[in-house]
């Protein structure tokens, strides 16, 4: 994802026509653009139709189950496998599929260290965040913030989530369409509209079940696409040993940068720690991911689904990085970026696929179907998650608090439709304003990390209060926007050597080119939008030191600001007594991270909060109250001479003192 975020920080709008040089050797492969065959188009269309049919089938199957639980949580009865595949597919967007290889091609193999972070982040997500969300029986993860703090904090976070998700979904649709248009001539708006409309339809009519099952189908397709590319590509170059030798010669093989520099693009510490935080943000606190885990019938199944997704996450980073090395080995003597054959890093893998697979009808179609499957899974996940957030946080509290469950389910589908149209509008905006695209992708980390920070503040630090949570979130968002903008304008990264020594001297619309080999430093904008060399720049000369911070640390800095500022403000304005906090809202962090410590050490680290059996009371209530009942209470009214009895109706899901919720789902497993 980091490589993906950086690779699409700069989508260009210049489309490239190939030169007329005859394609008869590797030297000339860059100058002849291959076109999609009829079979390629058929495979792409069939992929969209299968996804649409899955949505229609689930809509028909659930036509008599019109409820918010059915539409937003798939009835809470999904199996582990489809949920696991959906978690994996939602993470692996089209941006990641073509961005990670570009990262390895232009820089080096350090991006693959991120695979080490996958199991760590899943452990943190599965045992710190998910148990609290699951056992509180929430539809929207951000409901927790109202229970723990206040409605204002919840609304603030919901707005941040919707803003960055809409922008990110627009990029996920636009980036691959632009890349394939540039190297294959595939219709830009034809692919965007066809993929976008199909996704909107099956998500709106089929609900969460359609999203989960289409994600499963798309996950298989994505894995097939990247593996086939790796196998055919490595064979074309001469095997992985040849790939490794060439990549090592040109300094693409690098796994040993253990420096503590926080300005270096990737170090071992930056890759592992930064991506651990990033994936924890995604799997532990992002509504799109959390909502999927809540579709399982038990907490243990939710945790199993997270663990099953780990191999897929590691695979996409490792295979994606290897694909980048294979592409480099193929073009190592005639770099298409330096020669002007393509104008952006995101076009590297599509160009490579067309070069080596274009002669096999249908194979290129499988790859583009895999890439757009990544787009569909991300967009459908985002639409469904935003629908749940807006319904619970905006529509019900501020528009109509008396909605029936059936009507709320219908409204949630309508919200998906509206959000889908808004997303397509932002795709159009992105196509007209390249600079906005760069800023929009950066917002994914800039706005996502403060959300994780405020949830972590509530779950792990019982002293925090509402003022601390609100101020900490605002300060973090402002700081991250400031640092992100400064880095975007001033930060430059050195790249690995690129060569055109094997290219034929030729003249094209881009000018005259001849053999050369160089190593230079570029800005993020120059890297992916231009091939012009610039003078080496000393990163330490940045106007403000934090502008020089590598983007991998943003996901550490964002939550850190929320927690530090939140705690300072909380203690300044009257911190919360830990014993007064509902234990269901707090994670016993030391029990999770250090479960084998003796009880005499763990007990004071719980800060007076009793966690034992804290969810069993809810389980007892849920088994006792199966339907609305009448509870008889004696009323002693001094102004009334008579003593009577008052019947009070109690409804499932009714809030008590704004801090407790009567729950009705069975939970038998141990939670911590």
């Amino acid at each position: 994802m980091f490589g993906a975020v950086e690779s699409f920080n700069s989508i260009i709008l210049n489309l490239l026509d190939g030169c007329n040089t005859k394609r008869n050797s590797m030297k000339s492969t860059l100058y002849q653009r291959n076109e999609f065959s009829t079979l390629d188009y058929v495979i792409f269309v069939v992929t969209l139709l299968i996804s649409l049919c899955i949505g229609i089938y689930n809509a028909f199957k659930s036509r008599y189950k019109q409820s918010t639980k059915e539409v937003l949580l798939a009835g809470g009865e999904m199996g582990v496998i489809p949920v696991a595949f959906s978690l994996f597919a939602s993470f692996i967007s089209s941006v990641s599929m073509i961005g990670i290889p570009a990262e390895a091609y232009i820089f080096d193999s350090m991006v693959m260290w991120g695979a080490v972070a996958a199991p760590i982040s899943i452990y943190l997500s599965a045992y710190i965040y998910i148990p609290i969300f699951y056992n509180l029986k929430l539809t929207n993860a951000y409901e927790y913030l109202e229970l723990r703090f206040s409605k204002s904090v919840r609304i603030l976070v919901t707005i941040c989530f919707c803003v960055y998700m809409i922008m990110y979904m627009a990029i996920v649709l636009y980036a691959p369409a632009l890349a394939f248009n540039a190297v294959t001539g595939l219709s830009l708006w034809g692919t965007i509209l066809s993929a976008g409309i199909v996704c909107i339809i099956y998500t709106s009519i089929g609900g969460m079940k359609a999203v989960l099952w289409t994600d499963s189908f798309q996950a298989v397709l994505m894995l097939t696409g990247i593996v086939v590319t790796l196998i055919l590509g490595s064979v074309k170059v001469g095997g992985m040993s040849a790939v490794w030798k060439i990549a090592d010669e040109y300094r693409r093989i690098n796994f040993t940068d253990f420096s503590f520099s926080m300005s270096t693009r990737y170090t071992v510490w930056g890759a592992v720690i930064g991506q651990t935080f990033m994936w924890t943000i995604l799997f532990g606190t992002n509504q799109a991911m959390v909502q999927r885990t809540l579709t399982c019938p038990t907490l243990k199944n939710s945790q199993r689904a997270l663990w099953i997704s780990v191999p897929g996450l590691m695979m996409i980073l490792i295979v994606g990085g290897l694909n980048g090395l294979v592409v480099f080995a193929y073009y190592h003597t005639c770099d298409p970026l330096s020669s002007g054959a393509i104008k952006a890093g995101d076009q590297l893998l599509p160009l490579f696929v067309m070069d080596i697979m274009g002669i096999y009808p249908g194979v290129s179609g499988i790859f583009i179907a895999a890439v757009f499957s990544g787009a569909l899974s991300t967009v459908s996940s985002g639409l469904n998650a935003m629908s749940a957030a807006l319904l619970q946080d905006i529509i019900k509290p501020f528009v109509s608090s008396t909605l029936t469950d059936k009507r709320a389910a219908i409204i949630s589908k309508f919200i998906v439709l509206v959000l889908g149209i808004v997303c397509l509008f932002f795709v159009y905006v992105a196509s007209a304003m390249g600079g906005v695209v760069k800023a929009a992708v950066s917002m994914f980390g800039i706005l996502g990390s403060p959300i994780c920070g405020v949830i972590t503040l509530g779950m792990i630090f019982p002293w925090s209060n509402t003022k601390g949570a609100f101020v900490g979130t605002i300060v973090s968002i402002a700081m991250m926007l400031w640092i992100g903008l400064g880095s975007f304008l001033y930060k430059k990264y050195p790249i690995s050597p690129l060569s055109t020594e094997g290219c034929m001297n030729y003249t094209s619309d881009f000018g005259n080119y001849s053999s050369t080999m160089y190593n230079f430093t570029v800005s993020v904008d120059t890297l992916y939008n231009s091939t012009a060399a610039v003078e080496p720049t000393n990163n330490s000369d940045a106007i403000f030191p934090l502008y020089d911070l590598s983007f991998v640390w943003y996901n550490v800095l964002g939550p850190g600001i929320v927690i530090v500022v939140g705690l300072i403000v909380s203690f300044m304005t009257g911190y919360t007594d830990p014993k007064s906090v509902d234990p269901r809202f707090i994670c016993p962090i030391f029990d999770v991270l250090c479960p084998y410590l003796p009880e005499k050490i763990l007990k004071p680290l719980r800060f007076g909060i009793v966690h034992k059996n804290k969810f069993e009371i809810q389980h007892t209530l849920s088994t006792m109250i199966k339907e609305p009942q009448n509870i008889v209470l004696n009323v002693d009214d001094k102004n009334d001479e008579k003593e009577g009895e008052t019947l009070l109706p109690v409804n499932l899901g009714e809030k008590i003192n704004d801090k407790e919720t009567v729950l009705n789902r069975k939970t038998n497993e141990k939670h911590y």
Side-chain angles (χ1 to χ4, degrees):
M1 177 70 77
F2 279 139
V5 169
E6 282 300 300
S7 73
F8 289 101
N9 264 349
S10 45
I11 301 295
I12 72 159
L13 305 179
N14 300 323
L15 305 180
L16 177 68
D17 290 326
C19 299
N20 294 322
T21 306
K22 185 178 180 180
R23 177 190 168 126
N24 53 17
S25 69
M26 184 183 301
K27 294 181 180 180
S28 61
T29 57
L30 298 178
Y31 316 124
Q32 177 73 32
R33 187 174 68 182
N34 293 315
E35 301 292 338
F36 259 35
S37 67
T38 301
L39 184 58
D40 292 323
Y41 282 108
V42 169
I43 291 174
F44 178 60
V45 171
V46 168
T47 300
L48 296 180
L49 289 177
I50 291 175
S51 298
L52 181 61
C53 290
I54 292 174
I56 294 173
Y57 170 77
N58 281 280
F60 179 79
K61 185 178 179 182
S62 304
R63 64 190 183 280
Y64 300 121
K65 301 178 182 179
Q66 292 297 319
S67 66
T68 53
K69 184 177 180 180
E70 182 68 26
V71 173
L72 301 177
L73 296 177
E77 55 187 21
M78 291 301 298
V80 170
I81 299 301
V83 174
F85 273 86
S86 181
L87 288 168
F88 161 72
S90 299
F91 167 79
I92 306 304
S93 68
S94 56
V95 174
S96 301
M97 290 191 67
I98 58 181
I100 292 174
E103 175 75 25
Y105 181 104
I106 295 171
F107 295 100
D108 53 40
S109 58
M110 286 296 295
V111 66
M112 288 190 275
W113 266 107
V116 177
I120 303 173
S121 60
I122 291 299
Y123 178 84
L124 297 176
S125 301
Y127 299 105
I128 294 178
Y129 301 98
I130 298 304
I132 292 179
F133 292 137
Y134 191 95
N135 287 307
L136 288 176
K137 307 300 179 257
L138 305 179
T139 301
N140 171 20
Y142 308 137
E143 292 178 63
Y144 166 82
L145 295 173
E146 182 176 354
L147 296 174
R148 178 65 174 87
F149 296 120
S150 68
K151 182 173 290 186
S152 60
V153 177
R154 173 181 176 180
I155 298 302
L156 173 64
V157 166
T158 297
I159 293 173
C160 289
F161 169 73
C162 291
V163 167
Y164 82 71
M165 279 303 298
I166 287 177
M167 291 182 173
Y168 186 69
M169 289 190 303
I171 304 307
V172 163
L173 275 176
Y174 178 63
L178 181 65
F180 279 101
N181 172 270
V183 299
T184 69
L186 193 65
S187 171
L188 177 65
W189 287 103
T191 52
I192 289 174
L193 290 176
S194 58
I197 291 173
V198 166
C199 183
I200 293 169
I201 292 174
Y202 78 69
T203 305
S204 60
I205 67 174
M208 178 58 84
K209 281 187 178 179
V211 171
L212 292 172
W213 284 113
T214 52
D215 281 355
S216 300
F217 162 68
Q218 291 155 6
V220 173
L221 202 56
M222 284 186 278
L223 289 174
T224 302
I226 62 172
V227 171
V228 168
T229 302
L230 178 63
I231 294 173
L232 294 181
S234 60
V235 170
K236 187 74 174 181
V237 176
M240 283 307 300
S241 59
V243 170
W244 204 264
K245 181 180 179 180
I246 295 171
D248 187 42
E249 180 182 351
Y250 285 80
R251 301 206 298 269
R252 279 350 187 249
I253 305 300
N254 179 19
F255 294 101
T256 58
D257 188 350
F258 286 90
S259 71
F260 292 96
S261 171
M262 299 184 73
S263 62
T264 302
R265 184 179 182 86
Y266 275 110
T267 65
V268 172
W269 313 113
V272 175
I273 297 174
Q275 294 212 30
T276 294
F277 273 78
M278 184 199 71
W279 284 2
T280 302
I281 290 170
L282 286 173
F283 287 99
T285 62
N286 184 287
Q287 166 64 13
M289 298 298 190
V290 172
Q291 191 174 345
R292 273 146 187 70
T293 63
L294 300 180
T295 62
C296 292
T298 66
L299 174 60
K300 285 185 177 180
N301 280 5
S302 297
Q303 293 168 329
R304 289 191 188 105
L306 284 167
W307 281 113
I308 292 173
S309 69
V310 170
L313 301 177
M314 299 177 71
M315 184 177 179
I316 194 67
L317 275 172
I318 295 173
V319 176
L322 291 175
N323 273 331
L325 299 180
V326 169
V327 175
F328 177 78
Y330 186 73
Y331 294 122
H332 73 282
T333 60
C334 189
D335 171 50
L337 281 168
S338 304
S339 66
I342 59 174
K343 300 297 290 183
D346 56 285
Q347 297 168 10
L348 281 165
L349 191 61
L351 175 69
F352 176 72
V353 168
M354 293 306 298
D355 270 348
I356 69 166
M357 300 181 188
I359 59 175
Y360 306 110
V363 179
S364 298
I366 293 175
F367 179 77
I368 192 174
V371 172
F372 275 94
S373 290
L376 292 174
S377 64
T378 301
V379 173
S380 63
S381 301
L383 291 175
N384 198 271
M386 285 193 293
S387 174
L390 291 176
L391 177 67
Q392 300 293 334
D393 297 348
I394 305 296
I395 302 298
K396 285 186 176 181
F398 298 105
V399 179
S400 178
S401 58
T402 59
L403 280 176
T404 63
D405 196 50
K406 184 176 181 179
R407 180 168 294 182
I410 296 173
I411 290 176
S412 68
K413 294 182 177 182
F414 179 74
I415 293 174
V416 169
L417 180 63
V418 173
L419 288 173
I421 296 173
V422 171
C423 178
L424 290 177
F425 171 76
F426 269 88
V427 173
Y428 173 76
V429 172
S431 70
M433 301 177 67
V436 172
V437 175
K438 308 164 194 173
V441 179
S442 298
M443 279 192 175
F444 186 84
I446 291 171
L447 295 181
S449 58
I451 292 176
C452 176
V454 69
I455 292 176
T456 304
L457 180 70
M459 289 187 178
I460 296 179
F461 300 92
W463 309 277
S464 57
N465 61 21
T466 298
K467 293 179 181 178
F470 192 87
V471 173
T473 305
I474 292 292
V475 171
S476 180
I477 292 172
M479 286 286 292
M480 294 307 298
L481 285 171
W482 173 38
I483 294 169
L485 178 61
S487 177
F488 175 76
L489 294 174
Y490 299 107
K491 177 68 175 176
K492 302 179 187 297
Y493 293 104
I495 73 171
S496 297
L498 298 172
S499 173
T500 56
E501 62 184 13
C503 295
M504 299 186 332
N505 295 338
Y506 73 100
T507 301
S508 74
D509 293 337
F510 299 101
N512 297 320
Y513 296 88
S514 60
S515 299
T516 183
M517 178 175 174
Y518 47 85
N519 187 11
F520 53 87
T521 303
V522 293
S523 66
V524 173
D525 181 67
T526 303
L527 169 63
Y528 289 101
N529 287 330
S530 171
T531 58
V534 300
E535 293 298 323
T537 301
N538 186 352
N539 290 341
S540 63
D541 292 337
I543 292 178
F544 184 66
L546 284 178
Y547 293 169
D548 200 33
L549 186 70
S550 172
F551 66 93
V552 300
W553 294 103
Y554 286 1
N555 292 297
V556 181
L557 182 62
I561 293 174
V562 177
I563 292 170
V564 172
V565 174
L567 288 176
I568 291 174
V569 173
S570 295
F571 278 94
M572 290 177 62
T573 58
Y575 68 90
T576 303
D577 182 359
K579 295 180 181 179
S580 68
V581 180
D582 190 325
R584 296 174 301 163
F585 305 152
I586 304 296
C587 169
I589 185 65
F590 292 100
D591 290 64
V592 173
L593 299 180
C594 311
Y596 299 108
L597 287 177
E599 179 64 20
K600 64 180 180 179
I601 296 178
L602 288 175
K603 185 175 181 180
L605 294 176
R606 299 186 187 112
F607 309 109
I609 301 174
V610 179
H611 293 282
K612 186 177 181 180
N613 301 325
K614 62 183 179 181
F615 292 112
E616 289 187 3
I617 296 176
Q618 298 173 350
H619 173 61
T620 302
L621 285 174
S622 65
T623 54
M624 291 175 58
I625 305 177
K626 297 296 184 181
E627 57 186 29
Q629 301 181 25
N630 288 329
I631 299 177
V632 180
L633 299 178
N634 291 322
V635 179
D636 185 8
D637 191 340
K638 294 182 180 180
N639 297 322
D640 194 343
E641 295 180 355
K642 298 181 180 180
E643 293 185 353
E645 294 182 335
T646 303
L647 299 179
L648 299 179
V650 177
N651 297 320
L652 295 178
E654 180 183 3
K655 289 186 178 179
I656 303 174
N657 297 328
D658 292 329
K659 291 293 183 181
E660 297 183 21
T661 305
V662 180
L663 308 174
N664 53 24
R665 190 189 296 185
K666 295 182 179 180
T667 55
N668 297 318
E669 60 271 17
K670 183 178 179 181
H671 308 290
Y672 292 107

